Amino acid sequence: MSTNSARCYFNFYSAGRLVFGSGAVKQLASFLAPWSPRKVFVIGDRTLEQAGVVAQVTHPLTDAGIDLRVCLDGEPEPTFAVADKVLAAAREFGPDAIVAVGGGSNMDLGKITAAVLTHGGSYRDYVNYGKVPGPVLPLVCLPTTSGTGSEVSHAAVLTDQANHIKVSILSQYLRPAVAVVDPTLTLSCPAKPTADSGIDALTHAIEAFTATAYNELDVPATEPFPYDGKHPLGDVCAEKAIALIGQHLATAVQEPQNLAAREGMSLAATLAGLAFSNCAVAVVHALEYPLGGAVHVSHGAGNGLLLPYVMRFNLPARTKELARIAALLGEDTAGVTDAVAAERAIAAVERLRAAIGIPNRLQELGVTRDQLPTFATKAFGIKRLMLLNGRRPTETDLLGILEAAW
Ligand SMILES: NC(=O)c1ccc[n+]([C@@H]2O[C@H](COP(=O)([O-])OP(=O)(O)OC[C@H]3O[C@@H](n4cnc5c(N)ncnc54)[C@H](O)[C@@H]3O)[C@@H](O)[C@H]2O)c1
Ligand SMILES: [Zn+2]
């Protein structure tokens, strides 16, 4: 919640406990011990099972004598149908805790499952902010990509196939009880999800860092609002994340077994998750929701494609912040004006995007020009993300960004 009158007022939420470190997964049973669960529902997917990642999570739990049900029905960018399937399996088992292992897709399924098993009803009732009625079953999230930050965030995203859009369920109750960020779990992550999720993390950090400030956010303090806007503690997380991504993302994509790069990216993704889920995501994410609902593209690749175009739109209002981003990404900004440095930030993101194989034109995704006005209208309808953007767009502005990206 933000307030316009206070010079400095913000919240900072995270997972209840955040454990970071290579090998941390081996202690998984001890992280669950405060809840003494007897029955744990594990959400993963078949790809992760084949990669041996699911076993790394289940072994410490079975060794501790916990009764497990492993559900491998997770899928990338989960639809309502996928969520329904996972929920049915969970209901049938009746767990007292949930463990989600995977990228944002499986972790988000974990959040939805925990909410619905605790409070009943349908996750459709929980779409938008503040609809989850109270605390949910203990949820432990273990990220295997380095991107979404879902392990610490208040968000769960599903694809509404009927309406061709992604929807967000946002609640502070959805922050996991424990986030176990073990970079070794990302070693098997293939180049594409590493690239896509990594540039998603960069988008989170940049959108938080260039967002509307907490004391300029045009939302009454009494109105429930899922973000506080840009604030000092979020900035600390975002700045560190941007620097780490500049240092490590290309290496993590090109040398998957490079543990230093994986550790750098895991830390960056979690920090970016803390930044965005407390401060903001904005126009890049707003445009990705209809894009990802209409064509087959991962959340990260869609964001990565759009990011430099939105940075260019934001430049007049966020020149200083973009200049800082250039320096954080390792650009030489000595002796140049902020305007010149800000251009270098955009160029640096474009180079990184190319180096890791993210497309730079909507046409490459099969988007037709006549789809753009619908994307603009749908994105403009996500009011919270319009308010949070560092430069407030009109619907025509959004169309202009999309045309530039087409
Ligand atoms: N809740 C949030 O805060 C939040 C934030 C951003 C994005 N999201 C959502 O997260 C989803 C995207 O998540 P993602 O980018 O992490 O990818 P993902 O979870 O969709 O995973 C992509 C693919 O990579 C595979 N994979 C992941 N890790 C692997 C590993 N270590 N080894 C082998 N294969 C591996 C998965 O099995 C899957 O097939 C989208 O639905 C997006 O909307 C959520
Ligand atoms: Zn994202």
Side-chain angles (χ1 to χ4, degrees):
M1 177 94 39
S2 182
T3 175
N4 297 332
S5 53
R7 284 288 306 146
C8 192
Y9 176 95
F10 61 83
N11 299 274
F12 193 83
Y13 297 93
S14 178
R17 176 179 179 184
L18 168 57
V19 187
F20 183 92
S22 288
V25 66
K26 297 192 180 94
Q27 312 301 319
L28 182 55
S30 74
F31 305 143
L32 272 164
W35 295 276
S36 313
R38 282 170 303 142
K39 294 173 80 177
V40 172
F41 188 71
V42 178
I43 300 172
D45 62 54
R46 285 173 187 80
T47 308
L48 284 165
E49 193 203 27
Q50 274 158 20
V53 176
V54 174
Q56 291 189 62
V57 168
T58 53
H59 281 162
L61 299 178
T62 42
D63 287 353
I66 296 172
D67 184 11
L68 294 186
R69 173 77 57 91
V70 182
C71 170
L72 298 176
D73 290 330
E75 282 182 25
E77 322 282 326
T79 57
F80 285 177
V82 170
D84 287 333
K85 201 166 167 191
V86 172
L87 268 166
R91 271 206 196 93
E92 205 246 332
F93 182 57
D96 39 32
I98 292 168
V99 169
V101 55
S105 298
N106 296 352
M107 292 191 282
D108 288 1
L109 287 168
K111 292 175 177 185
I112 285 156
T113 305
V116 175
L117 255 53
T118 311
H119 298 290
S122 162
Y123 52 83
R124 289 173 174 82
D125 305 332
Y126 303 150
V127 169
N128 291 325
Y129 181 58
K131 304 279 172 59
V132 178
V136 303
L137 277 184
L139 169 67
V140 179
C141 281
L142 299 104
T144 65
T145 58
S146 37
T148 68
S150 182
E151 67 277 9
V152 290
S153 85
H154 59 344
V157 185
L158 289 177
T159 302
D160 176 353
Q161 278 184 313
N163 294 306
H164 302 293
I165 191 145
K166 290 188 176 175
V167 296
S168 296
I169 297 169
L170 295 152
S171 165
Q172 302 302 347
Y173 295 123
L174 289 187
R175 302 216 189 232
V178 188
V180 183
V181 186
D182 180 341
T184 64
L185 297 179
T186 69
L187 287 170
S188 58
C189 190
K192 184 169 168 13
T194 300
D196 292 2
S197 63
I199 205 148
D200 186 26
L202 182 63
T203 309
H204 294 160
I206 290 180
E207 293 222 277
F209 193 67
T210 57
T212 303
Y214 55 84
N215 60 341
E216 290 167 357
L217 202 56
D218 194 11
V219 181
T222 47
E223 187 173 312
F225 199 68
Y227 301 93
D228 278 338
K230 177 179 169 69
H231 66 60
L233 195 45
D235 283 352
V236 171
C237 297
E239 288 187 281
K240 181 74 179 169
I242 293 165
L244 285 167
I245 292 165
Q247 250 176 302
H248 295 295
L249 175 53
T251 311
V253 173
Q254 285 146 18
E255 301 170 26
Q257 290 299 313
N258 186 321
L259 186 59
R262 293 296 197 176
E263 287 180 337
M265 280 309 300
S266 290
L267 182 55
T270 300
L271 289 170
L274 290 170
F276 96 74
S277 69
N278 284 286
C279 300
V281 282
V283 160
V284 181
H285 276 73
L287 292 171
E288 195 282 319
Y289 289 147
L291 171 67
V295 298
H296 189 71
V297 62
S298 74
H299 171 77
N303 278 341
L305 188 157
L306 292 163
L307 176 60
Y309 299 101
V310 176
M311 290 167 79
R312 180 159 304 288
F313 171 75
N314 287 339
L315 196 150
R318 287 294 178 267
T319 314
K320 195 161 64 67
E321 287 79 7
L322 289 168
R324 173 80 182 128
I325 289 168
L328 291 166
L329 288 173
E331 296 294 294
D332 182 4
T333 56
V336 304
T337 62
D338 280 353
V340 171
E343 286 288 348
R344 289 184 187 171
I346 298 171
V349 173
E350 286 171 343
R351 276 201 313 279
L352 181 58
R353 186 180 60 178
I356 61 173
I358 306 276
N360 62 358
R361 290 274 160 205
L362 290 172
Q363 284 186 65
E364 289 178 55
L365 307 179
V367 174
T368 55
R369 194 164 194 158
D370 59 5
Q371 287 180 295
L372 303 183
T374 312
F375 292 176
T377 305
K378 284 187 174 174
F380 193 68
I382 312 174
K383 291 292 172 222
R384 63 175 190 278
L385 303 188
M386 300 299 112
L387 287 173
L388 287 160
N389 200 63
R391 181 179 172 199
R392 187 82 71 86
T394 62
E395 191 173 326
T396 311
D397 290 331
L398 297 185
L399 187 56
I401 295 168
L402 289 166
E403 277 173 346
W406 190 71

